């Protein structure tokens, strides 16, 4: 790759391999595709590695509704190198190591400038299956059929195109497989503990759901000096994994007997957790997390996405007693400013990332990653494009 801002392939349509989802829930098909050059305010990225997130699985299975768009190129956690840039791109140069992200960060709107929000008000997340500025795709198969984007990233391909608001320049010092983790789930959990809840030393923390997001919450709480970190999950095997990230206690709802989970947590914390995190996306768990928080100042952070249309029912009287609930997308993380901080903390040995990687596969074996995830055997599976 050339070090200036013009590569040999700039302005040309590239032919490469991509893993295409054509039928919901069916194995991806690796095919040759064409990737258009980046337009104004866009960059084209050569993907080095990518990983599979539960969100990919959720949309891959979706058979109906406006979000069920096929054929599509999934993937939204990845690291790559800038291959070429479009007009008006000043932030990135050919050869830069970058992390594409699903959450836009324009740095210009009032929300991006504010410390109170990470929701860009110019490029709002509307789950469009195409590029954010002109609503068109940069992908076509070899028959000329349009292939749709996913969360403005689409990393299950050797080359992708993203808007500059959806990319973060990162230091090349961090190993790319560790940096890849910062594109979604891990940053969500760490950010929720640090930026949304602002967990402090000596805190009591309860985490509902010990998947990668929940484990990242535990890591964030551990790093902040939480005294007790309680994990709630149906799978007892996750307790040993959780210990690596600071989990001190494990609650299995199936072994609580006649007691509710909130009653058990109140006993463990002498009155309720200071901070509760719902990381699954179930309305019933959101309610249980709220009831597990301490009267007076307990804060419940909702990170899970409720996909079943269920409503959360809470007693208004409980709010009068000082409890609060807050929702958070991407853990309050502002991609362009916070992700480089996370990367530095990893390099300074202040943040654990290695333990999140449970498997590594070649791009040709990408469907194996889906199988491992659905079998509950994988935390994060790194998929290498050139191995």
């Amino acid at each position: 790759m050339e070090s200036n801002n013009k590569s040999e392939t700039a302005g040309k349509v590239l032919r490469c391999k991509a893993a295409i989802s054509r039928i919901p829930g069916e194995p991806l098909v690796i095919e040759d595709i064409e990737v258009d050059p980046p337009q104004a305010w866009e960059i084209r990225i050569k993907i080095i590695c990518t990983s599979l997130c539960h969100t990919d699985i959720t949309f891959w299975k979706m058979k109906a509704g406006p979000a069920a768009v096929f054929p599509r190129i999934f993937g939204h956690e990845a690291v790559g190198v800038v291959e070429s840039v479009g007009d008006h791109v000043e932030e990135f140069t050919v050869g830069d190591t970058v992390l594409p992200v699903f959450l836009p960060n324009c740095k210009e709107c009032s929300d991006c400038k504010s410390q109170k929000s990470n929701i860009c008000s110019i490029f709002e997340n509307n789950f469009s299956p195409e590029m954010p500025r002109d609503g068109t795709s940069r992908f076509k198969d070899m028959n000329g059929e349009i292939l749709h984007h996913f969360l403005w990233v689409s990393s299950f391909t050797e080359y992708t195109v993203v808007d500059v608001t959806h990319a973060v320049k990162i230091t090349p010092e961090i190993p790319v497989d560790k940096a890849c983790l910062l594109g979604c789930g891990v940053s969500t959990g760490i950010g929720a503990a640090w930026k949304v809840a602002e967990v402090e030393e000596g805190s009591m923390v309860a985490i509902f759901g010990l998947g990668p997001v929940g484990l990242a919450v535990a890591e964030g709480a551990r790093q902040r000096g939480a005294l007790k970190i309680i994990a709630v999950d149906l799978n007892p095997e996750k307790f040993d994994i959780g210990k690596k990230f600071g989990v001190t206690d494990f609650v299995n709802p199936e072994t609580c007997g006649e007691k509710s989970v909130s009653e058990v947590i109140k006993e463990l914390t002498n009155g309720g957790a200071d901070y509760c995190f719902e990381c699954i996306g179930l309305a019933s768990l959101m309610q249980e997390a709220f009831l597990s928080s301490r009267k007076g100042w307990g804060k419940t952070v909702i990170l899970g996405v409720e996909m079943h249309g269920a409503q959360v029912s809470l007693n208004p009287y409980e709010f009068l007693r000082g409890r609060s609930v807050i929702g958070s997308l991407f853990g309050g993380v502002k991609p362009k400013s916070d992700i480089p901080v996370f990367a530095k903390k990893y390099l300074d040995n202040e943040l654990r990332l290695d333990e999140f990687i449970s498997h590594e596969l070649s791009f040709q074996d990408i469907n194996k990653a889906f199988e491992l995830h659905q079998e509950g055997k994988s935390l994060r599976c790194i998929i290498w494009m050139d191995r």
Side-chain angles (χ1 to χ4, degrees), residues 122-135:
I122 294 179
F123 296 92
E124 295 186 25
N125 267 307
N126 57 7
F127 294 101
S128 166
E130 315 301 354
M131 295 297 290
R133 294 180 194 258
D134 66 6

Side-chain angles (χ1 to χ4, degrees), residues 82-203:
V82 176
E83 172 271 336
S84 59
V85 302
D87 292 339
H88 311 305
V89 175
E90 299 177 354
E91 183 180 355
F92 301 98
T93 301
V94 170
D96 283 345
T97 302
V98 292
L99 187 148
V101 289
F102 75 94
L103 192 72
N105 187 187
C106 76
K107 301 195 297 185
E108 299 297 329
C109 70
S110 58
D111 289 74
C112 284
K113 290 180 178 179
S114 171
Q115 293 303 309
K116 298 178 181 179
S117 171
N118 69 336
I119 307 299
C120 179
S121 56
I122 294 179
F123 296 92
E124 295 186 25
N125 267 307
N126 57 7
F127 294 101
S128 166
E130 315 301 354
M131 295 297 290
R133 294 180 194 258
D134 66 6
T136 62
S137 174
R138 301 291 172 266
F139 304 122
K140 291 190 293 289
D141 68 13
M142 299 314 294
N143 294 319
E145 182 180 10
I146 294 296
L147 303 172
H148 300 287
H149 292 249
F150 180 63
L151 295 184
W152 307 280
V153 174
S154 289
S155 57
F156 293 166
T157 170
E158 293 175 324
Y159 287 87
T160 191
V161 178
V162 303
D163 192 274
V164 292
T165 60
H166 286 275
V168 177
K169 187 187 299 185
I170 59 173
T171 174
E173 295 179 15
I174 183 171
V176 291
D177 55 337
K178 311 308 185 297
C180 181
L181 302 171
L182 299 175
C184 185
V186 173
S187 288
T188 296
I190 294 170
W194 291 0
K195 295 178 63 89
V196 183
E198 296 181 304
V199 172
E200 63 270 283
E201 187 174 356
S203 299

Side-chain angles (χ1 to χ4, degrees), residues 177-375:
D177 55 337
K178 311 308 185 297
C180 181
L181 302 171
L182 299 175
C184 185
V186 173
S187 288
T188 296
I190 294 170
W194 291 0
K195 295 178 63 89
V196 183
E198 296 181 304
V199 172
E200 63 270 283
E201 187 174 356
S203 299
M204 303 281 192
V205 172
I207 303 167
F208 291 73
L210 211 56
V213 173
L215 289 170
V217 171
E219 172 63 11
R222 179 201 65 81
Q223 206 272 345
R224 283 292 175 91
L227 178 63
K228 184 168 287 192
I229 302 174
I230 304 165
V232 181
D233 202 285
L234 292 170
N235 185 354
E237 295 180 2
K238 290 185 177 180
F239 188 30
D240 287 336
I241 300 172
K243 288 179 180 178
K244 298 178 182 179
F245 297 92
V247 171
T248 58
D249 299 85
F250 187 83
V251 176
N252 185 339
E254 292 184 339
T255 61
C256 290
E258 296 181 357
K259 295 180 181 179
S260 66
V261 170
S262 59
E263 289 174 328
V264 173
I265 290 177
K266 287 174 184 177
E267 291 177 358
L268 289 171
T269 57
N270 192 28
D274 302 304
Y275 304 102
C276 293
F277 299 84
E278 200 283 340
C279 306
I280 299 295
L282 291 174
S284 59
L285 271 185
M286 296 174 188
Q287 181 175 347
E288 196 69 21
F290 176 75
L291 294 175
S292 300
S293 66
R294 189 177 188 87
K295 296 174 184 176
W297 62 73
K299 178 184 286 188
T300 299
V301 181
I302 306 298
L303 299 174
V305 180
E306 172 42 76
M307 299 293 289
H308 304 92
Q311 301 295 307
V312 178
S313 178
L314 301 174
N315 186 341
Y317 178 67
E318 298 295 343
F319 291 103
L320 297 178
R321 306 182 78 179
R323 287 172 167 144
S324 63
V325 179
I326 186 170
S328 176
L329 184 63
F330 203 31
V333 168
K334 287 182 178 291
K336 292 182 185 289
S337 56
D338 291 329
I339 288 177
V341 172
F342 294 164
K344 185 177 187 304
K345 286 190 176 292
Y346 171 78
L347 292 172
D348 292 341
N349 295 315
E350 296 179 24
L351 196 63
R352 293 174 180 164
L353 294 177
D354 300 50
E355 291 85 352
F356 284 97
I357 299 174
S358 57
H359 298 80
E360 298 186 49
L361 295 171
S362 69
F363 185 45
Q364 295 295 322
D365 294 325
I366 190 169
N367 285 307
K368 180 66 176 177
F370 280 71
E371 294 172 9
L372 289 168
H373 187 282
Q374 294 184 96
E375 292 169 358

